[in-house]
Structures are given as structure tokens and as C-alpha cells.
Amino acid sequence: MQQITRDNANIIKNLISTKERIVITSHHNPDGDAIGSMLGLYHILTSMGYDSSMVIPNDIPDFLSWLPDSSKIIRHSKNKQAAAEAICNADLIFSLDYNSPSRLEAVKENFDQSKAVKILIDHHPYPEEAFTWILSETKASSTAELVYEFALILNAEMHIGHNAAMCIFTGIMTDTGSFSYACSNPRTFEIAAKLIAKGVKVEDIQQQVYNNFSESRMRLLGYSLESKMKVFPEYRSAYISLTYEELKRYKYQIGDTEGLVNYPLSIKNIIFSALFIENKNFVKVSLRSVGAFPANKVCEEHFNGGGHINAAGGKSFATMQETEAKFVEILKQYQKELNQ
Ligand code: 5GP
Ligand code: MN
């Protein structure tokens, strides 16, 4: 694995111009950064004159489906054959917004078997040894920000058109909670300003991403906060759990619980929040923290996952009830750190 810099930009440019089947991939349950980065890179490559296809393991949330050309993204869950063929035939694969092939879930096997040159663009710590080239920067707000930097490294700034700018802006905006966390580096705002100068309408993107709830999603939010949030002031923590039956009651669609885990952090003194969502074979765990408390460490040690220090995810293979009890035990274990 070798880090991509301006010094080896010509090698990367050469790879892009000589490889014929370029595939852009991102992680399971894609968020705004995953989809924004993919489409941002797709539009840049298209403007440079290169064809590429895009593959993800499962569905695109409704609040991102307005992004230009999102309908071109091949979803393995909907079209297994097309997804597998694209990956198996690829000679250059971009891996965006994930540091481990395991996050490709159902697409992982094809990815592992592929002989393609693999380029990682990502901001998660500790990328696995599965990639040929990496543009890996934990300090970046988002992968979308790194897609912008990647274009600059390739000397392709002029290929960031209006569509690419909208997608990249959406990635940065969603991964920073509308510029409220992981964005203390002036660079993030410099890039946002450049994107706005390229015609991004911030109000329109805010409107599309955040003011686009279905009625049932809004009511699920209300129900979650009123009836399902448990607060533990002594551990400065809170969690929300939602069972399969509850999700069904509120006509759950992928993306409907996006952002829900952040709400408890708005309570004074709460610095650690969890969201448990019951799936068919496991409970999906999302953790968020404020400051130095490491959500990723808790996920790695207890929930078969990982992520960033303040935003991490994983899985619990116990029942919902057991998962909640386990979480309370974990809080006890970390009482000192939580109260520092
Ligand atoms: P979310 O809670 O929104 O699903 O994920 C938050 C962050 O945690 C993601 O950006 C990603 O870095 C990480 N993450 C989520 N799920 C997993 C998982 O299953 N495994 C690992 N290693 N990281 C995850
Ligand atoms: Mn991200």
C-alpha cells in the first residue's frame, strides 16, 4: 500500500487513463458521504473523459436519491449479477469511505477475488492491507473532502463541475452534521467555499437532505425520543432502541433512522449516545460521542465493529434485551472515562 501524493500523481493519472473498466464502490448502508463521494468522483471522471460504473451492497436512502446520476449506481441487493460482473471484470476499483473490505458485506467476496488495482480514498483510521494505493487522511472531515483533494492532486480542478460540486458538498455537509463536528480544520470550509463558488446552492441541498421526511419518519422520531430513549445521567449517556415490530409500525424505509443517534447528545451533559436497531439476524449498533471518549474503541471491543473516535458502528448478535443490558454494563465499566 502506498499513500497517494502530488509526487506520484502521474502514476495514478496513468492508471486512470490506461485502465478500461473503472468501478467505484462504497459501504453497506451508505450515508451522505458514501454516496456523495462516489457520485462526486464519478462526475469528475466523466468530465475527464473516462467511463466508470458504481456498485454498492444495498439500497440508497431516499434523502440522497435526488443526487445527479444516483440511479446509475448498481445495488447488489437489487441486481446481484450486474454488481458481481462489474467488480469481477474491473481493472481499477475505487474504494470510498470504508477502510475494510468487510464493509462491502455481500460484495466483499467479489472484491477480494478481483485482480484490479485498488485505490482507497477514505478518512477512517487504520486502513486494512487490501488496497494498492491509498489517499487516507483521518483528519479530513469526510471522504468527499478527500475526493476534492484527489481531483487537485490529479490537476483536475476544472473537472469539478456543478454536479460533482453538489455531490461533494453533500458528502461534507452530512458527515459534519451541517458543519457542526469533525470540521475544525479551516481546509473543510475552504473547500466548501470553492464548491459554493462552483454554483452549489446550500439552501437547496439542506432542503433536499433534511426537509424531506415522510410523515411516518417524523413520527418515528417523536416516538423514539418520547418513549424509547433511556437516559443515564450518572454515566452521561443515553440510548434509543427500536425493534423490528416498531420499525414496521412506522413504515420504516432505509435512511429513516439516519441522525437519530445524535439527538440524545443535545441533552445537557450527555456525551455518549447509542442507537440499537433490530435487524433480521442481529442488532445494528450505532455509537456517537463528544470529545475524547472513544466510541470506536467501544465498538471494536464489544460490538464487532469500529469507526471514528466520535462516530462508530457495529453489530450485536444477542437479543435486543440482552444488547441493552450489555450496554448498561459497558457504561458501568467506563464510568470513570465518561465522567472525565
Ligand atoms: P453508523 O452508526 O452511521 O452506521 O456508522 C457510523 C460510523 O461507524 C461509520 O462512518 C463507520 O465509520 C463506522 N461503522 C458503522 N458500521 C460499522 C461496522 O459494521 N463495522 C465497522 N468497522 N465500522 C462501522
Ligand atoms: Mn465518511
Side-chain angles (χ1 to χ4, degrees):
M1 285 207 306
Q2 199 177 340
Q3 180 79 20
I4 297 170
T5 64
R6 283 184 187 274
D7 293 336
N8 50 40
N10 278 332
I11 304 178
I12 305 300
K13 269 196 230 173
N14 197 41
L15 274 176
I16 294 173
S17 64
T18 54
K19 301 295 182 191
E20 278 168 12
R21 290 175 300 275
I22 303 176
V23 177
I24 304 169
T25 63
S26 194
H27 59 79
H28 187 78
N29 288 343
D31 55 9
D33 193 27
I35 301 295
S37 300
M38 288 181 89
L39 287 167
L41 181 62
Y42 169 81
H43 286 293
I44 293 167
L45 292 176
T46 304
S47 167
M48 291 169 79
Y50 303 120
D51 282 337
S52 62
S53 42
M54 297 170 279
V55 174
I56 51 174
N58 62 338
D59 239 333
I60 302 171
D62 193 47
F63 69 89
L64 298 169
S65 60
W66 60 276
L67 282 166
D69 282 332
S70 72
S71 61
K72 290 188 178 153
I73 299 177
I74 303 168
R75 294 160 293 170
H76 181 271
S77 55
K78 291 268 153 65
N79 197 341
K80 292 189 173 48
Q81 198 182 343
E85 273 176 19
I87 301 277
C88 294
N89 296 331
D91 49 16
L92 179 59
I93 298 180
F94 282 96
S95 296
L96 302 189
D97 201 38
Y98 62 97
N99 58 357
S100 159
S102 65
R103 304 231 48 227
L104 288 172
E105 300 267 336
V107 183
K108 177 188 185 305
E109 212 175 302
N110 292 316
F111 179 88
D112 286 344
Q113 283 164 3
S114 163
K115 299 268 184 293
V117 174
K118 293 165 183 167
I119 299 182
L120 175 79
I121 304 179
D122 180 45
H123 66 137
H124 291 92
Y126 319 118
E128 283 183 14
E129 288 282 336
F131 311 96
T132 328
W133 290 92
I134 60 172
L135 182 58
S136 167
E137 182 51 76
T138 347
K139 286 199 203 85
S141 68
S142 52
T143 297
E145 181 177 326
L146 292 173
V147 167
Y148 183 94
E149 302 286 20
F150 183 70
L152 293 201
I153 289 174
L154 297 184
N155 217 352
E157 209 269 341
M158 66 286 228
H159 292 291
I160 305 174
H162 185 231
N163 281 348
M166 274 200 295
C167 298
I168 294 172
F169 189 91
T170 300
I172 299 175
M173 185 188 87
T174 52
D175 244 29
T176 58
S178 287
F179 302 92
S180 66
Y181 47 76
C183 58
S184 294
N185 189 334
R187 185 67 185 145
T188 306
F189 287 88
E190 279 167 22
I191 293 173
K194 300 260 188 220
L195 297 169
I196 292 167
K198 283 177 185 284
V200 166
K201 297 272 176 291
V202 179
E203 295 86 348
D204 290 355
I205 295 191
Q206 281 279 331
Q207 193 68 11
Q208 294 278 13
V209 171
Y210 295 117
N211 300 337
N212 223 343
F213 281 36
S214 62
E215 181 183 336
S216 55
R217 177 177 172 182
M218 199 67 178
R219 294 200 187 280
L220 174 65
L221 169 63
Y223 170 70
S224 303
L225 297 178
E226 165 68 21
S227 305
K228 298 305 309 276
M229 180 173 67
K230 298 217 162 52
V231 183
F232 302 84
E234 68 277 32
Y235 305 121
R236 302 175 74 198
S237 301
Y239 75 79
I240 295 169
S241 66
L242 290 169
T243 64
Y244 194 71
E245 189 279 320
E246 288 167 324
L247 294 172
K248 221 169 95 184
R249 201 190 312 156
Y250 287 92
K251 305 184 186 79
Y252 172 81
Q253 299 288 318
I254 185 167
D256 279 0
T257 55
E258 188 76 34
L260 185 53
V261 64
N262 291 305
Y263 280 88
L265 298 176
S266 296
I267 302 170
K268 191 172 179 176
N269 254 323
I270 297 299
I271 60 141
F272 188 40
S273 168
L275 174 66
F276 303 116
I277 303 284
E278 189 175 48
N279 282 31
K280 241 194 211 136
N281 304 315
F282 60 88
V283 174
K284 163 81 178 105
V285 178
S286 286
L287 300 182
R288 298 292 184 272
S289 67
V290 179
F293 187 75
N296 52 358
K297 191 172 153 217
V298 177
C299 256
E300 281 159 25
E301 286 178 1
H302 302 283
F303 294 116
N304 310 289
H308 309 278
I309 179 165
N310 294 137
K315 290 172 184 166
S316 162
F317 296 98
T319 63
M320 181 63 92
Q321 234 181 356
E322 288 163 354
T323 303
E324 291 176 40
K326 179 177 170 174
F327 184 70
V328 177
E329 284 306 310
I330 293 168
L331 293 182
K332 288 180 190 161
Q333 200 181 310
Y334 282 101
Q335 180 160 26
K336 210 175 117 215
E337 289 89 336
L338 288 164
N339 281 293
Q340 255 162 20

